[in-house]
Amino acid sequence: AEILAKYKPTLNSTLLIANLKQVNDTTTKALEYFKSTRHIMLYYEDVVKNRTKLMDVLEFLKVPQMNLKSRQVKIHKGSLSSQVENWNDVSKALTGTQYESFIHEDYRR
């Protein structure tokens, strides 16, 4: 985990907006394809900010409520800006776009 924590990816800021749009389009299509299938929308950020969200998942899965624990280890700590090698380029690319909130969110908890 310590070795992985030192890694800072460099994002292609030139293709960043196009890539984010592609992911958004793919997600929209998937939701459309499966709209008649019973499903639940779950975002990582929701679980991080609201631990009771896991209880919603258990209810959706129709399994007994239980105390869930993870053996996962948090690898990256600190702000997102300290995790990306070319944060200034990424920040400039996203500022003023529909994705600008991505550079302001803080999911460190």
Side-chain angles (χ1 to χ4, degrees):
E2 289 178 28
I3 292 170
L4 289 175
K6 292 177 185 175
Y7 174 71
K8 286 180 157 187
T10 299
L11 303 179
N12 184 333
S13 59
T14 304
L15 296 176
L16 189 55
I17 299 296
N19 289 342
L20 289 170
K21 284 181 182 176
Q22 182 180 19
V23 168
N24 189 52
D25 291 346
T26 301
T27 303
T28 301
K29 286 178 188 174
L31 289 171
E32 180 64 26
Y33 292 149
F34 294 103
K35 69 181 177 185
S36 63
T37 303
R38 186 175 171 270
H39 66 277
I40 185 173
M41 294 290 295
L42 181 67
Y43 297 95
Y44 169 80
E45 294 81 6
D46 293 336
V47 174
V48 170
K49 290 180 178 179
N50 182 0
R51 299 295 292 178
T52 62
K53 197 68 173 171
L54 290 176
M55 296 304 121
D56 295 343
V57 174
L58 295 176
E59 182 179 325
F60 172 80
L61 295 173
K62 297 180 180 176
V63 297
Q65 299 246 337
M66 58 187 81
N67 186 17
L68 300 174
K69 295 182 181 179
S70 173
R71 294 182 298 188
Q72 299 295 315
V73 176
K74 185 171 179 78
I75 294 173
H76 293 95
K77 297 177 181 158
S79 65
L80 186 57
S81 60
S82 69
Q83 306 301 317
V84 178
E85 187 67 41
N86 61 331
W87 180 254
N88 288 336
D89 295 337
V90 170
S91 181
K92 285 177 189 171
L94 296 181
T95 298
T97 72
Q98 66 190 49
Y99 307 106
E100 183 172 2
S101 65
F102 293 178
I103 60 177
H104 302 298
E105 297 296 330
D106 185 3
Y107 306 115
R108 287 183 284 169
R109 284 198 293 170

